[in-house]
């Protein structure tokens, strides 16, 4: 644990990292203004959320200082953009994975220098930060590591000369063989950059640590099944967002502190919400750190997001890895198996996602689905048609929003959420008449 840096020490660090301080100030100002708007209107937040709020604010400051310190003492790191990259293997080889996906609308237009305007804002925000000199992680890694998921990402890796793990597009036997070989290749690459061999001991240990982290997220999620959830969908999203960036042990400690508070709140009957509201599942594209527009629009309109199936939700922490395996090969296969279950629309067909969504709706007693797609994400957007049909066939209402990271349409989305809530409540009243 390193000492907390003062504001002037942080500025010195950013300057040493070659960042554009003026633009970075603008980015921080934009992030903090948005955070106040999207999160701080909530009156009944658990006190322990302060730990995650701080982690969010530290993501460009103290966390960067920690990683810098780790690297100065010989630690290695790689940048990542997707939850397919197996953290367990990198950790075992003593390599830190740094998630780089951008969630800020502020940086999107800076991507214009290299990328077309009509691609997904997640990709544009990420590279807008790098191109504007406002990403503190730009030099804090051996290399960024992409993956062959969607077209926007794949072609961006080519453009910037970024290596990529091959994620198959189907889930047949031969695709699994390919995936296992990619995971093994990834292990070799991690061993090479850190000069640390992955052994049964260090791999078992990293599996346990990652399982513990996911277990914390799973337990928080369990509380959201209650009729009076002690934590909001907005705060659960924030926890998932910072889980990707925080030091793993600090995250587990903060999560356990929150869990103790959630238990106490449940014992006292304290909900995160003022009224019973309408329980919804949030489905669709991920919401990287800095982006909570649709969660905000939903929860300020009387919808309670009790589950989130996205990569910044259940998809990230649903599956664990057995801890009782003996050899590196067995563990690598189990890791590959676990990551192969991820139900991203970059796979076709993707029936698993539909089955998972049905189970989540049932387990969390969601009355309806808010289905959010980041603009130009064709995989999620086209899949939405079939998903909405499945929901309709099961008499579950869904509202689809397609939007970017800009703030302009926030109020408009909110109006749609309010109307959606009224329709659901109207249906409820009809059923009880
Ligand atoms: S496993 S969802 S993290 S690929 S939103 S950039 S898909 S155009 S982020 Fe993802 Fe891995 Fe899949 Fe999850 Fe492309 Fe769509 Fe943009 Fe996306």
């Amino acid at each position: 644990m390193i000492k907390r840096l003062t504001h002037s020490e942080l500025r010195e660090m950013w300057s040493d990292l070659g960042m554009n301080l003026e633009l970075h100030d603008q980015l921080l100002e934009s992030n903090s203004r948005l955070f106040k708007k999207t999160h701080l209107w909530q009156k009944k937040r658990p006190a322990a959320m302060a730990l995650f709020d701080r982690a969010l604010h530290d993501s460009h400051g103290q966390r960067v200082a920690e990683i810098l310190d780790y690297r100065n003492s010989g630690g290695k790191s790689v940048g990542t953009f997707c939850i397919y990259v197996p953290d367990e293997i990198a950790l075992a080889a003593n390599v830190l994975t740094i998630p780089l996906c951008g969630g800020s609308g502020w940086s999107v237009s800076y991507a214009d220098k290299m990328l077309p305007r009509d691609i997904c804002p997640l990709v544009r925000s990420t590279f807008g930060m790098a191109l504007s000199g406002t990403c503190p992680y730009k030099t804090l890694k051996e290399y960024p590591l992409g993956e062959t998921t969607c077209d926007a990402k794949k072609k961006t890796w080519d453009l910037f000369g970024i290596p990529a793990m091959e994620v198959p597009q189907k889930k047949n036997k031969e695709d699994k063989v390919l995936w296992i070989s990619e995971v093994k290749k990834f292990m070799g690459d991690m061993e090479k950059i850190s000069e640390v061999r992955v052994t049964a001991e260090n791999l078992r240990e990293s599996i346990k640590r990652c399982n513990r982290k996911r277990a914390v997220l799973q337990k928080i999620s369990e509380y959201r099944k209650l009729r009076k959830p002690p934590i909001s969908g907005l705060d659960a999203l924030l926890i998932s967002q910072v889980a990707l960036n925080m030091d793993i042990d600090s995250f587990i400690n903060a999560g356990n502190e929150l869990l103790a508070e959630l238990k106490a709140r449940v014992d006292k009957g304290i909900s995160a919400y003022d009224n019973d509201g309408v329980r919804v599942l949030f489905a669709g594209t991920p919401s990287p750190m800095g982006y909570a527009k649709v969660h905000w629009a939903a929860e300020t309109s009387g919808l309670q997001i009790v589950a989130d199936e996205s990569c910044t939700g259940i998809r990230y922490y649903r599956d664990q890895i057995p801890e009782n395996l003996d050899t590196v090969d067995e563990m690598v296969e189990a890791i590959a198996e676990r990551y192969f279950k991820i139900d991203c629309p970059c796979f076709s067909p993707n029936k698993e996602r539909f089955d998972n969504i049905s189970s989540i709706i049932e387990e969390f007693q969601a009355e309806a689905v808010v289905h959010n797609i980041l603009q130009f994400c064709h995989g999620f957007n086209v899949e939405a048609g079939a998903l909405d049909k499945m929901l309709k066939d099961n008499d579950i209402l869904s509202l689809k929003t397609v939007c970017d990271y800009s703030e302009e349409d926030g109020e408009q989305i909110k109006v749609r959420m309010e109307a959606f809530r009224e329709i659901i409540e109207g249906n409820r009243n009809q059923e009880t008449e």
Side-chain angles (χ1 to χ4, degrees):
M1 186 69 86
I2 60 161
K3 79 167 180 74
R4 280 196 79 78
L5 299 192
T6 62
H7 187 60
S8 63
E9 287 169 332
L10 286 175
R11 291 186 78 75
E12 203 181 314
M13 175 183 77
W14 292 326
S15 169
D16 291 346
L17 289 172
M19 293 168 63
N20 182 325
L21 293 192
E22 200 183 319
L23 289 182
H24 190 239
D25 284 346
Q26 286 179 27
L27 169 67
L28 292 186
E29 197 280 322
S30 162
N31 288 350
S32 119
R33 180 181 48 76
L34 256 185
F35 175 71
K36 276 187 200 137
K37 175 180 169 178
T38 53
H39 287 75
L40 298 188
W41 61 273
Q42 302 176 93
K43 300 273 180 317
K44 295 165 74 181
R45 304 183 78 208
M49 278 311 297
L51 299 168
F52 302 97
D53 293 357
R54 188 164 78 184
L56 175 82
H57 294 301
D58 280 351
S59 64
H60 272 221
Q62 190 65 21
R63 179 65 182 139
V64 179
E66 283 172 16
I67 295 175
L68 196 55
D69 183 61
Y70 158 83
R71 288 183 58 82
N72 286 342
S73 52
K76 304 291 179 192
S77 44
V78 288
T80 60
F81 306 88
C82 178
I83 64 166
Y84 275 108
V85 179
D87 284 337
E88 293 79 358
I89 289 180
L91 260 180
N94 213 8
V95 178
L96 181 72
T97 49
I98 307 178
L100 296 176
C101 288
S104 163
W106 178 89
S107 62
V108 164
S109 61
Y110 288 93
D112 289 356
K113 287 179 195 165
M114 298 278 289
L115 293 169
R117 289 185 173 196
D118 41 5
I119 63 165
C120 153
L122 187 154
V123 176
R124 282 168 54 76
S125 173
T126 307
F127 287 87
M129 251 184 261
L131 293 169
S132 61
T134 58
C135 176
Y137 299 105
K138 196 170 170 187
T139 53
L140 290 187
K141 53 194 182 303
E142 314 316 310
Y143 52 80
L145 176 67
E147 78 304 321
T148 57
T149 46
C150 67
D151 288 349
K153 283 183 172 182
K154 278 192 283 201
K155 291 294 117 186
T156 302
W157 313 145
D158 290 352
L159 188 66
F160 287 87
I162 293 174
M165 277 185 92
E166 183 162 358
V167 177
Q169 311 278 289
K170 287 180 162 281
K171 290 193 174 171
N172 296 325
K173 245 197 211 148
E174 56 276 21
D175 303 302
K176 199 159 166 193
V177 172
L178 166 68
W179 176 239
I180 293 172
S181 77
E182 277 298 296
V183 171
K184 286 185 176 159
K185 182 173 169 294
F186 172 69
M187 182 165 85
D189 291 344
M190 295 301 101
E191 289 179 320
K192 209 192 258 159
I193 61 171
S194 66
E195 295 176 3
V196 172
R197 268 206 73 208
V198 173
T199 63
E201 286 67 39
N202 60 26
L203 190 52
R204 193 177 301 109
E205 191 46 38
S206 70
I207 288 173
K208 284 184 185 165
R209 284 173 86 201
C210 293
N211 278 352
R212 278 205 293 277
K213 176 181 177 177
R214 287 188 286 258
V216 164
L217 289 158
Q218 288 172 353
K219 285 179 197 160
I220 294 170
S221 174
E222 280 297 302
Y223 279 116
R224 299 167 71 196
K225 290 181 179 169
L226 299 175
R227 199 177 60 79
K228 288 183 171 186
I231 184 161
S232 67
L234 268 165
D235 280 341
L237 171 66
L238 178 67
I239 294 165
S240 284
Q241 289 171 332
V242 299
L244 295 166
N245 178 262
M246 262 173 108
D247 165 69
I248 186 165
D249 298 317
S250 308
F251 176 81
I252 293 168
N253 291 339
N256 284 331
E257 196 172 323
L258 174 72
L259 282 168
E261 186 182 352
L262 295 185
K263 181 178 180 319
R265 279 162 78 93
V266 170
D267 290 346
K268 290 183 200 146
I270 301 173
S271 165
Y273 304 101
D274 284 331
N275 306 308
D276 277 350
V278 169
R279 299 171 69 88
V280 295
L281 162 70
F282 184 95
T285 45
S287 307
M289 204 189 272
Y291 177 70
K293 177 170 69 179
V294 179
H295 285 72
W296 165 82
E299 295 215 312
T300 50
S301 305
L303 299 175
Q304 299 179 355
I305 298 175
V306 292
D308 180 337
E309 65 96 29
S310 77
C311 290
T312 37
I314 290 173
R315 187 173 296 122
Y316 176 63
Y317 53 77
R318 172 174 30 229
D319 299 309
Q320 295 286 41
I321 298 171
E323 296 180 7
N324 57 354
L325 302 171
D326 292 323
T327 65
V328 171
D329 277 351
E330 283 171 347
M331 288 182 233
V332 169
E333 291 221 0
I335 289 169
E337 176 97 27
R338 185 256 171 220
Y339 283 83
F340 207 51
K341 283 190 202 147
I342 294 175
D343 53 353
C344 172
C346 64
F347 280 94
S348 356
N350 193 23
K351 185 174 175 299
E352 269 165 298
R353 180 166 175 238
F354 292 54
D355 296 342
N356 285 330
I357 286 178
S358 297
S359 311
I360 298 171
I361 289 173
E362 205 179 310
E363 281 172 37
F364 288 79
Q365 292 168 45
E367 290 174 84
V369 174
V370 167
H371 197 169
N372 182 50
I373 319 286
L374 283 175
Q375 201 176 29
F376 306 119
C377 177
H378 305 313
F380 275 94
N381 203 5
V382 176
E383 192 162 286
L387 182 56
D388 285 344
K389 181 177 178 314
M390 176 198 85
L391 295 170
K392 203 169 170 201
D393 290 347
N394 287 286
D395 292 326
I396 306 219
L397 287 176
S398 69
L399 174 71
K400 180 177 152 191
T401 51
V402 179
C403 57
D404 59 14
Y405 285 172
S406 67
E407 291 174 55
E408 283 81 39
D409 56 356
E411 289 300 328
Q412 196 196 339
I413 295 171
K414 196 164 141 51
V415 169
R416 292 185 62 206
M417 295 287 172
E418 279 162 8
F420 187 51
R421 176 184 47 78
E422 281 169 15
I423 292 170
I424 300 164
E425 286 174 342
N427 281 0
R428 258 194 212 156
N429 292 340
Q430 271 178 9
E431 277 165 23
T432 51
E433 271 166 19

